[in-house]
Amino acid sequence: MAVSVRVIPCLDVDAGRVVKGVNFTGLRDAGDPVELAHRYDAEGADELTFLDVTASSGDRETTLDVVGRCAEQVFIPLTVGGGVRSTADVDRLLRAGADKVGVNTAAVARPELLAEIADRFGNQVLVLSLDARRVPPGADPTPSGFEVTTHGGRRGTGIDAIEWTRRAAELGAGEILLNSMDADGTKAGFDLELISAARAVVDVPLIASGGAGAVEHFAPAVRAGADAVLAASVFHFGRFTVGEVKDALRAEGIEVR
């Protein structure tokens, strides 16, 4: 039985405001996270993702009060990530109102963290947030040609992104949020090669992120293997709505929630 595809707006939050840039740089203000959360809930979003984009690079925790206020506004699952380093951090976010928690930088530094979170809270709570990019020219290649980046995409690791996807699922990640750093904010379409490569090594749900610029971009991501499609600026700045994305997917014969 085919699983219905989810459409997920993403709130990239910095200092309590939603921001959006290109390839994670040149951030500009996109609004109040609580107001946007309320709007997307009303628009029919299936879930909402809240990423504190400077928590890891700034070495601080995700803003709990903003998470709490967003959670009060939505009746759909809320995934929160940014600066999560321990099971205690996960516990705090779940108590603040998150349904799922995304982990990135800290899991790359210490992969056992994924198993610890999954063992304590269950796989369904744990989302691996993976910021992948093509290995830059001159750098040591990885088997897949993609590498993991950390600290909000600011640091390359030399770790093969596809191998890390497979290992994270084995350690207990219940979902993979696969963000293409190359496509992020470009509005040129999702990185289909990256999605296909990740799909080939994991059975857990895969959320495609990075590159959405037109409603026609979403169906190819699903065909490449995504179970959910995520976008940010195109929703924040009114280029199109969640409903229009769902209509475009239905028109392509794809079942949506």
Side-chain angles (χ1 to χ4, degrees), residues 98-165:
D99 298 285
K100 297 187 255 188
V101 174
V103 186
N104 179 353
T105 298
V108 174
R110 197 173 69 82
E112 307 78 49
L113 176 62
L114 295 174
E116 291 165 10
I117 294 169
D119 288 347
R120 179 165 169 190
F121 302 102
N123 303 53
Q124 77 286 348
V125 160
L126 178 58
V127 179
L128 177 78
S129 183
L130 197 167
D131 296 333
R133 71 178 179 193
R134 282 177 170 72
V135 177
D140 290 337
T142 63
S144 71
F146 293 99
E147 73 167 335
V148 176
T149 69
T150 60
H151 297 82
R154 291 167 180 80
R155 295 186 197 173
T157 62
I159 296 167
D160 188 284
I162 302 307
E163 172 56 25
W164 174 228
T165 302

Side-chain angles (χ1 to χ4, degrees), residues 17-168:
R17 297 288 293 178
V18 176
V19 295
K20 195 58 203 167
V22 176
N23 309 125
F24 277 35
T25 60
L27 300 179
R28 63 178 173 137
D29 190 89
D32 176 71
V34 181
E35 288 173 14
L36 286 170
H38 181 69
R39 185 174 109 199
Y40 295 136
D41 187 58
E43 266 185 27
D46 298 304
E47 296 186 12
L48 194 63
T49 294
F50 176 113
L51 298 176
D52 190 325
V53 293
T54 53
S56 283
S57 58
D59 198 34
R60 59 178 174 75
E61 295 167 7
T62 301
T63 319
L64 289 175
D65 65 308
V66 184
V67 173
R69 286 188 289 124
C70 284
E72 287 169 6
Q73 290 294 325
V74 300
F75 300 95
I76 50 178
L78 176 65
T79 298
V80 181
V84 175
R85 299 177 189 82
S86 66
T87 55
D89 291 339
V90 175
D91 190 54
R92 273 193 289 274
L93 288 172
L94 294 175
R95 289 176 189 278
D99 298 285
K100 297 187 255 188
V101 174
V103 186
N104 179 353
T105 298
V108 174
R110 197 173 69 82
E112 307 78 49
L113 176 62
L114 295 174
E116 291 165 10
I117 294 169
D119 288 347
R120 179 165 169 190
F121 302 102
N123 303 53
Q124 77 286 348
V125 160
L126 178 58
V127 179
L128 177 78
S129 183
L130 197 167
D131 296 333
R133 71 178 179 193
R134 282 177 170 72
V135 177
D140 290 337
T142 63
S144 71
F146 293 99
E147 73 167 335
V148 176
T149 69
T150 60
H151 297 82
R154 291 167 180 80
R155 295 186 197 173
T157 62
I159 296 167
D160 188 284
I162 302 307
E163 172 56 25
W164 174 228
T165 302
R166 185 194 63 74
R167 188 173 176 211

Side-chain angles (χ1 to χ4, degrees), residues 191-250:
D191 190 325
L192 305 181
E193 187 187 344
L194 176 63
I195 297 166
S196 299
R199 176 79 289 160
V201 299
V202 293
D203 295 325
V204 299
L206 206 55
I207 305 165
S209 168
V215 291
E216 295 78 19
H217 288 156
F218 292 86
V222 174
R223 295 209 176 92
D227 300 278
V229 282
L230 178 146
S233 60
V234 287
F235 292 142
H236 304 337
F237 298 120
R239 183 172 278 213
F240 44 78
T241 65
V242 170
E244 286 168 330
V245 171
K246 290 190 173 188
D247 288 344
L249 288 169
R250 283 191 198 99

Side-chain angles (χ1 to χ4, degrees), residues 173-196:
E175 266 186 338
I176 310 290
L177 170 54
L178 186 64
N179 189 42
S180 166
M181 298 305 304
D182 302 308
D184 176 71
T186 63
K187 300 187 177 62
F190 292 91
D191 190 325
L192 305 181
E193 187 187 344
L194 176 63
I195 297 166
S196 299

